[in-house]
């Protein structure tokens, strides 16, 4: 009995690791997203029965697929050690909620939309990106806090100085912060600046310094944090998959050295031909 289960478990493990099976699962996830999107159109009522059948088939397939992944684990509790497995299990179980009941139709449809997020758990590169985003959020929070302080100071100054120009844009500090957010996203910010310059000709200094701080300095700080974390997460992912980043970098350096030597030989040949000419 135990040998039979062990053989079955080994088959499930091979199936779970099979690239064709993973590709088929990804295709079903995409199909699930397309089915949810198709239901948003008004002229698909004649295909309603087909869409219901497809939705039920996708839900059944997800249940079978998650059961295979559970059975492939040497120990059942090992399945729950991965946050991505728990994430997939929650989405699959949420898909079981019936969509025909009027009380749960909205919740069921919303939960089915989130099935597209399973692409993140199935594609390793997307997992690296999401992990990098989660790790970078705390560090980005300090930059966002500093940006909020700058926004608050500039909003206070703008509401005090420009209130008489346009009360709708600068009437209070909340409206002023919304206006500054509009300026930071470059949404017709020159119109706001020209309006205040009619009364305060040197008010352009206020806008230029604000844009310089927010759109250039803080934005580049955010990008720098994300790139640093992404590089760290990528190296960690390669290490977990048996790839050595140091060896990869060394191989790249050796390739650059070979390319440089070839360029030197080509340059020497060109110089020799030019002397002969």
């Amino acid at each position: 009995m135990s040998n039979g289960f062990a053989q079955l478990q080994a088959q499930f493990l091979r199936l779970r690791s099979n690239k064709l099976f993973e590709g088929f699962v990804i295709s079903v996830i995409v199909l699930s997203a397309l089915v949810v999107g198709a239901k948003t159109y008004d002229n698909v009522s004649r295909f309603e029965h087909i869409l219901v059948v497809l939705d039920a088939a996708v839900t059944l397939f997800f249940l079978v697929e998650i059961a295979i992944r559970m059975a492939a684990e040497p120990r059942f509790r090992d399945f729950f050690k991965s946050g991505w497995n728990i994430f997939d299990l929650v989405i699959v179980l949420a898909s079981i909620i019936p969509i025909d009941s009027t009380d749960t139709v909205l919740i069921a449809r919303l939960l089915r939309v989130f099935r597209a997020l399973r692409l993140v758990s199935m594609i390793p590169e997307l997992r690296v990106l999401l992990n990098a985003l989660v790790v970078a959020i705390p560090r980005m929070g300090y930059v966002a806090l500093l940006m909020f302080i700058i926004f608050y100071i500039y909003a206070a100054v703008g509401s005090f100085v420009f209130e008489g120009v346009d009360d709708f844009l600068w009437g209070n500090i909340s409206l002023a912060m919304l206006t500054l957010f509009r300026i930071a996203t470059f949404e017709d910010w020159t119109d706001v600046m020209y309006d205040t310059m009619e009364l305060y000709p040197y008010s352009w200094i206020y806008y230029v310094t604000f844009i310089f701080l927010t759109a250039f300095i803080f934005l580049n700080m955010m990008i720098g944090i994300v790139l640093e974390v992404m590089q760290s997460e990528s190296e960690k992912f390669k290490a977990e998959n048996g790839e050595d980043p140091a060896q990869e970098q060394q191989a790249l350096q050796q390739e650059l050295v070979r390319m440089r030597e070839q360029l030197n030989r080509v340059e020497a040949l060109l110089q020799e031909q030019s002397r002969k000419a």
Side-chain angles (χ1 to χ4, degrees), residues 162-180:
F162 304 138
E163 182 180 6
V165 177
D166 193 334
D167 186 69
F168 180 76
L169 297 178
W170 308 100
N172 54 56
I173 196 167
S174 299
L175 294 174
M177 292 187 72
L178 287 175
T179 303
L180 289 176

Side-chain angles (χ1 to χ4, degrees), residues 42-62:
D42 296 330
N43 55 354
V44 295
S45 56
R46 52 182 176 173
F47 304 109
E48 184 68 24
H49 179 68
I50 298 176
L51 294 177
V52 170
V53 173
L54 283 176
D55 183 79
V58 168
T59 302
L60 180 61
F61 175 80
F62 283 159

Side-chain angles (χ1 to χ4, degrees), residues 268-277:
L269 289 173
L270 291 175
Q271 290 178 354
E272 183 178 356
Q273 290 179 357
S274 63
R275 285 195 298 269
K276 291 180 180 180

Side-chain angles (χ1 to χ4, degrees), residues 103-250:
D103 296 332
T104 61
V105 62
L106 179 59
I107 298 177
R109 286 179 177 176
L110 290 175
L111 292 175
R112 278 161 172 75
V113 171
F114 288 105
R115 289 195 301 202
L117 286 175
R118 291 202 61 202
L119 283 174
V120 179
S121 63
M122 294 300 301
I123 302 177
E125 289 75 11
L126 293 182
R127 292 203 301 267
V128 172
L129 291 176
L130 189 59
N131 287 334
L133 178 61
V134 172
V135 174
I137 284 177
R139 299 173 60 181
M140 292 171 62
Y142 293 105
V143 179
L145 178 60
L146 182 58
M147 186 183 299
F148 174 78
I149 294 173
I150 299 299
F151 262 78
Y152 191 86
I153 293 174
Y154 271 81
V157 173
S159 61
F160 293 152
V161 178
F162 304 138
E163 182 180 6
V165 177
D166 193 334
D167 186 69
F168 180 76
L169 297 178
W170 308 100
N172 54 56
I173 196 167
S174 299
L175 294 174
M177 292 187 72
L178 287 175
T179 303
L180 289 176
F181 184 80
R182 167 185 171 182
I183 294 171
T185 56
F186 299 104
E187 178 63 28
D188 294 333
W189 71 277
T190 53
D191 296 339
V192 181
M193 181 182 67
Y194 293 147
D195 289 341
T196 57
M197 285 182 64
E198 292 180 359
L199 189 59
Y200 302 98
Y202 292 100
S203 62
W204 61 268
I205 300 175
Y206 172 88
Y207 298 97
V208 170
T209 55
F210 175 76
I211 290 176
F212 180 78
L213 287 172
T214 56
F216 297 115
I217 295 180
F218 289 124
L219 180 60
N220 287 326
M221 290 173 66
M222 291 281 192
I223 294 174
I225 291 173
V226 173
L227 290 178
E228 181 182 355
V229 174
M230 283 185 61
Q231 182 179 1
S232 176
E233 290 296 320
S234 178
E235 292 176 356
K236 186 186 300 183
F237 174 76
K238 291 179 180 178
E240 291 176 353
N241 288 271
E243 301 179 16
D244 190 355
Q247 292 181 357
E248 184 178 352
Q249 185 176 5
Q250 184 178 3

